[in-house]
Amino acid sequence: MTSPTPLQSWGRYPAAQQTVRPLHWRTEPLPAAVPGSVLAYGMGRSYGDACLNDGNILLPTRELNHIINFDPETGVICCEAGVSLDEVLQLVVPHKWFLPTTPGTKLITVGGAVANDVHGKNHHRAGTFGCHVTRFELLRSDGSRLLCSPTENAGLFAATIGGLGLTGLITWAEFKLRRVDNALIQVESVKFRNLEEFFTVSAESDTGFEYTVAWLDCLATGSGLGRGHFMRGNHAGPDHTDCEPHSEPRLNVPVDFPDVALNHYSIKAFNELYYHRQLPRIRHAVTHYDPFFYPLDAINNWSRIYGRRGFFQYQFVIPFAKDHGAIREILTRITASGQGSFLAVLKTFGEVPSPGMLSFPKPGITLALDFANQGPATLQLFTELDAVVLAAAGRIYPAKDARMAPAMFQRGYPQWQQFQEYMDPKFSSSFWRRVTQPA
Amino acid sequence: MKNIILIGATSAIAQALGRQLAARGARLMLWGRSADKLEIVAADLRVRGASVDCDAFDFDNFAAHPAALERARKLGDWDAVFVCHGSLGDQKLCEQDFAAAEKEFRTNCLGALSFLTIFANYFEGQGRGTIAAIGSVAGDRGRQSNYVYGTTKAAISTFMQGLRNRLHPKGVRVLTIKPGFVSTPMTAHLKQGLLMAKPDKVAKDILKAADSGKAVLYTPWFWRWIMLIIRLIPESIFVRLKL
Ligand SMILES: Cc1cc2nc3c(=O)[nH]c(=O)nc-3n(C[C@H](O)[C@H](O)[C@H](O)COP(=O)(O)OP(=O)(O)OC[C@H]3O[C@@H](n4cnc5c(N)ncnc54)[C@H](O)[C@@H]3O)c2cc1C
Ligand SMILES: NC(=O)c1ccc[n+]([C@@H]2O[C@H](COP(=O)([O-])OP(=O)(O)OC[C@H]3O[C@@H](n4cnc5c(N)ncnc54)[C@H](OP(=O)(O)O)[C@@H]3O)[C@@H](O)[C@H]2O)c1
């Protein structure tokens, strides 16, 4: 059946029209004899067009939301691909288990977590989500159902993790959880005055803290360039006993904000306030996992504050370099452009290899920033940043991208041609057509 | 209310009910027509804390209904039943082809009435129990867009009024559930607007009503008032509306 309700991605750009055919049961075949290509759609938390299939068919997976098995002794969970991380947490936290790693929102599906091989604040310890996946079932358009694991159909296993939904439909996945004593996180927040200090704090934190991430004030210039807050945390110890999972958010952004709401001055004011809100250099607290990992989930539909034109996120990774020249240059360019970012998140990726053929993370430093869509000026800035990223042997995260040129993708992911051998001929996406079109 | 039979257990609303009952540690019996799907739902509910059995049979064969209850009773006593299966049907087709309408009546209405009959007698004999069935706001007034479906639901509602009247002195509770629009596979082809409720929300309302012994539940609550207005419109005006 066709649903007249249009599906979008999180950044609400680009606009796309697709026929929507929700999946109901994992045992059912893919919609047969449909014209064009198909693509699974989880919760649409990808920012750009990785979850869109303009002019073709989307298969929403959210009704594939059954748990298949969960062993509270071993912490192995097997569930359908449309189960959300939110639902996993609700189920497992009371049994003292936690996600092996989690992105900055819990409102994504397990299928989406695998297909973008998502990373979290513990990448330097745990690697990507795919590192914890033990096996899954892949339903291909020829009707075959393939069990994929590191030892069975290993090529498809590697291609599907981070495979952007292009190798077929993941019907279910099994993965290993992480033991915890409670639902709490012991947090420390450290203020750093510039980029140098960030790297010092980051290096000294990686050994003692499972979770590390920094919030950066992208509008600070000169000697303050790269100032911000470093957050580091560990699961709280057994002296705490609170195992309550999170509750539903109470705030909602019901309509689009007018386009003027977020301008340079309001962002600047916000960033100033945020930077100065903490007076002592280091602050300690014990907090629930929900505000620590998912501060933005507290407001439903927050992306509407960017108005109807939508917004971009720019996230790249570049390998470590002694002088941090590339990252410094990128920050300088963003500051100079005046197209400030509401959120700028800086984090180091560790050495744990990603199992996915096209996975984004690699050792180095990653920065993610939001930009309101101001048309050509914004796109021009990104093109400039791309050149710096590429020169530093970096690459951009497809889950966040709506605009990179084919060359940028193909040079960032030289394995892309090998990956094509594993693609399902019936599956495609707006993203894939864009980044593989001939120059 | 701990031992519960869910009829049409694969429906989105029944699954939401099942999950909330599982969180209470309920013992569930799932009835449906597809053994595969029932097993998927059962495994999920077990993980969530319920103890679960399933039984698959053809609902449209009414002779199979009493036998299913016999099999369930062999496993122990039951406190409540929720009749949740149903289909929206194709109104346009039913207008042209009564065979199609008859099929809707068989599944949606007669099947439900058959289940209600055997459970009324079972709970009456036991001297306690809760019978709940999902009707619909569509049964409150016949409208051109879905009066065949509406009639099946109106029949359930009237039948249950009578049952309630009959069983009240016997300690058996009878709950008629009238949902408005709920976002489920049944309504996937409709616009997912503001009036669309989530199955979770509807299930929560249903359990609360069943726990408190309510007779008729509109869910979400505002449908009681919407339907009051719709019922109050004089027929002379109503005939001119495109509803
Ligand atoms: C506020 C916010 C914070 C975020 N933080 C992070 C972060 O810290 N780290 C990070 O890595 N990402 C982050 N993300 C991005 C997000 O985690 C990914 O885009 C994720 O893949 C979204 O999952 P989804 O279920 O919404 O999938 P969608 O966005 O709907 O789809 C993503 C991809 O998965 C594919 N897919 C979905 N289900 C299946 C299936 N069953 N079988 C095959 N393919 C499938 C789709 O085809 C598509 O290619 C964040 C996003 C938001 C909105
Ligand atoms: N959704 C709404 O807006 C809405 C509004 C008012 C009332 N209702 C009522 O709520 C109840 C649940 O519906 P839902 O919205 O949850 O829909 P749903 O998810 O589509 O479920 C429909 C259920 O009915 C079963 N069914 C259909 N035909 C059957 C048959 N011939 N024999 C056996 N089972 C059959 C289906 O079984 P299979 O899984 O095996 O197909 C499925 O379990 C129905 O009575 C419906 O009329 C719904």
Side-chain angles (χ1 to χ4, degrees):
Chain A
M1 262 187 235
T2 312
S3 158
T5 314
L7 292 177
Q8 294 178 310
S9 64
W10 191 241
R12 309 169 84 206
Y13 177 95
Q17 293 291 336
Q18 44 256 308
T19 306
V20 177
R21 304 273 300 243
L23 303 172
H24 300 306
W25 298 92
R26 71 169 186 269
T27 46
E28 283 176 356
L30 292 169
V34 289
S37 63
V38 300
L39 182 74
Y41 180 93
M43 294 180 83
R45 254 54 182 192
S46 299
Y47 282 69
D49 51 3
C51 60
L52 301 177
N53 198 12
D54 195 23
N56 289 277
I57 293 156
L58 280 184
L59 311 172
T61 61
R62 267 298 273 156
E63 274 168 47
L64 307 181
N65 62 6
H66 299 99
I67 312 283
I68 297 168
N69 195 21
F70 164 54
D71 183 344
E73 296 298 315
T74 60
V76 175
I77 184 168
C78 182
C79 64
E80 291 182 352
V83 171
S84 66
L85 298 189
D86 170 76
E87 289 160 347
V88 172
L89 288 168
Q90 291 284 358
L91 177 73
V92 307
V93 169
H95 295 279
K96 302 194 175 181
W97 291 98
F98 200 75
L99 294 166
T101 185
T102 175
T105 173
K106 59 190 177 301
L107 303 175
I108 72 162
T109 62
V110 168
V114 176
N116 272 321
D117 197 15
V118 301
H119 59 268
K121 297 179 170 66
N122 59 351
H123 183 273
H124 59 287
R125 293 266 181 98
T128 56
F129 192 85
C131 295
H132 307 272
V133 173
T134 44
R135 50 189 184 143
F136 53 78
E137 182 186 74
L138 195 64
L139 174 55
R140 306 267 291 185
S141 61
D142 62 7
S144 58
R145 290 174 185 268
L146 304 173
L147 191 77
C148 303
S149 75
T151 53
E152 229 175 311
N153 294 309
L156 266 178
F157 183 75
T160 302
I161 296 178
L164 303 167
L166 300 167
T167 59
L169 176 79
I170 304 164
T171 55
W172 57 261
E174 182 187 81
F175 58 99
K176 285 192 272 192
L177 298 161
R178 185 213 185 283
R179 216 357 143 197
V180 292
D181 289 306
N182 49 59
L184 305 178
I185 307 287
Q186 189 102 42
V187 197
E188 269 182 43
S189 160
V190 186
K191 220 154 137 173
F192 53 91
R193 283 170 303 186
N194 51 46
L195 216 48
E196 281 318 311
E197 274 192 27
F198 163 80
F199 282 103
T200 314
V201 179
S202 181
E204 73 186 30
S205 303
D206 277 2
T207 42
F209 294 87
E210 179 166 352
Y211 300 105
T212 63
V213 71
W215 176 87
L216 212 71
D217 177 357
C218 278
L219 302 179
T221 51
S223 62
L225 186 77
R227 74 177 181 181
H229 288 270
F230 196 94
M231 308 261 265
R232 51 195 193 189
N234 285 312
H235 288 282
D239 38 327
H240 294 275
T241 53
D242 175 7
C243 287
E244 273 291 307
H246 57 277
S247 44
E248 297 254 316
R250 252 164 275 146
L251 301 174
N252 188 19
V253 180
V255 291
D256 294 336
F257 272 32
D259 291 336
V260 294
L262 274 191
N263 56 33
H264 184 66
Y265 301 101
S266 56
I267 291 171
K268 176 128 185 120
F270 174 83
N271 283 8
E272 281 286 336
L273 275 174
Y274 193 99
Y275 181 75
H276 291 296
R277 81 197 159 133
Q278 172 191 346
L279 294 174
R281 199 180 89 88
I282 300 193
R283 212 177 48 162
H284 301 262
V286 174
T287 136
H288 192 267
Y289 69 78
D290 200 28
F292 179 72
F293 289 109
Y294 314 115
L296 292 170
D297 288 353
I299 307 171
N300 276 325
N301 300 314
W302 62 259
S303 62
R304 286 179 177 156
I305 64 168
Y306 284 102
R308 220 161 335 140
R309 281 188 296 182
F311 69 111
F312 296 98
Q313 185 165 98
Y314 191 81
Q315 180 172 4
F316 62 85
V317 55
I318 52 175
F320 293 114
K322 276 226 167 59
D323 62 350
H324 316 308
I327 197 96
R328 202 178 295 280
E329 176 166 2
I330 288 173
L331 285 178
T332 310
R333 279 177 191 258
I334 292 170
T335 322
S337 78
Q339 300 190 44
S341 181
F342 203 179
L343 282 176
V345 177
L346 192 63
K347 149 123 199 98
T348 54
F349 281 151
E351 302 287 336
V352 188
S354 306
M357 199 178 281
L358 285 188
S359 296
F360 162 68
K362 61 178 180 178
I365 174 142
T366 182
L367 181 71
L369 318 89
D370 285 1
F371 291 84
N373 179 8
Q374 299 177 17
T378 314
L379 294 172
Q380 177 54 36
L381 173 65
F382 292 154
T383 308
E384 287 170 35
L385 301 183
D386 281 355
V388 185
V389 170
L390 211 51
R395 62 187 177 205
I396 286 181
Y397 190 8
K400 308 286 180 75
D401 180 66
R403 37 67 48 192
M404 77 170 124
M408 184 70 195
F409 174 74
Q410 294 172 15
R411 291 174 64 186
Y413 297 85
Q415 330 80 302
W416 75 280
Q417 273 167 317
Q418 181 199 351
F419 170 79
Q420 279 182 309
E421 293 166 27
Y422 293 98
M423 283 176 60
D424 187 305
K426 188 78 183 163
F427 281 67
S428 183
S429 68
S430 293
F431 175 85
W432 192 254
R433 290 189 292 277
R434 173 165 62 80
V435 299
T436 57
Q437 73 198 5
Chain B
M1 223 175 41
K2 185 165 189 305
N3 307 294
I4 292 150
I5 299 183
L6 294 174
I7 302 183
T10 55
S11 89
I13 295 175
Q15 289 192 59
L17 272 171
R19 287 181 182 182
Q20 288 174 29
L21 289 165
R24 302 179 178 185
R27 178 175 146 259
L28 302 174
M29 166 61 83
L30 312 184
W31 286 0
R33 59 176 163 177
S34 150
D36 277 7
K37 291 188 193 175
L38 284 179
E39 205 32 68
I40 290 175
V41 177
D44 176 80
L45 296 176
R46 283 185 198 115
V47 171
R48 294 171 196 273
S51 75
V52 189
D53 287 287
C54 313
D55 199 345
F57 57 95
D58 178 7
F59 284 19
D60 293 343
N61 171 17
F62 308 147
H65 295 186
L69 179 56
E70 281 319 305
R71 287 193 294 274
R73 289 187 61 181
K74 288 216 176 73
L75 300 176
D77 288 339
W78 300 95
D79 310 321
V81 63
F82 290 84
V83 182
C84 303
H85 71 290
S87 70
L88 194 52
D90 181 338
Q91 169 68 24
K92 286 278 171 272
L93 182 65
C94 291
E95 287 169 16
Q96 301 308 318
D97 176 5
F98 189 70
E102 186 186 5
K103 194 178 158 297
E104 290 306 314
F105 270 88
R106 178 157 274 275
T107 303
N108 245 358
C109 176
L110 297 177
L113 303 190
S114 160
F115 286 127
L116 292 174
T117 301
I118 61 171
F119 276 95
N121 296 335
Y122 165 52
F123 286 140
E124 184 177 29
Q126 202 173 250
R128 59 176 190 89
T130 297
I131 304 179
I134 309 187
S136 170
V137 295
D140 277 13
R141 189 158 191 177
R143 293 176 292 128
Q144 53 140 14
S145 56
N146 68 352
Y147 62 83
V148 172
Y149 175 76
T151 307
T152 66
K153 294 301 192 182
I156 290 176
S157 173
T158 308
F159 193 90
M160 291 188 78
Q161 261 174 358
L163 270 190
R164 188 177 303 117
N165 200 206
R166 169 184 147 201
L167 296 176
H168 182 76
K170 309 287 173 60
V172 179
R173 291 171 158 178
V174 177
L175 167 65
T176 310
I177 302 154
K178 297 186 179 183
F181 290 120
V182 192
S183 163
T184 72
M186 190 178 276
T187 54
H189 60 296
L190 302 176
K191 200 169 157 56
Q192 305 292 306
L194 279 179
L195 286 180
M196 277 281 175
K198 292 249 163 60
D200 277 350
K201 154 81 179 134
V202 167
K204 206 176 191 176
D205 285 356
I206 293 175
L207 284 189
K208 202 169 148 212
D211 285 337
S212 67
K214 205 175 168 124
V216 179
L217 168 74
Y218 283 86
T219 167
W221 59 272
F222 50 80
W223 284 98
R224 171 180 292 277
W225 307 107
I226 295 179
M227 295 322 292
L228 179 67
I229 294 166
I230 292 199
R231 280 198 314 273
L232 285 175
I233 300 174
E235 193 70 8
S236 58
I237 296 175
F238 200 78
V239 288
R240 278 172 245 192
L241 301 178
K242 277 246 168 247
L243 283 170

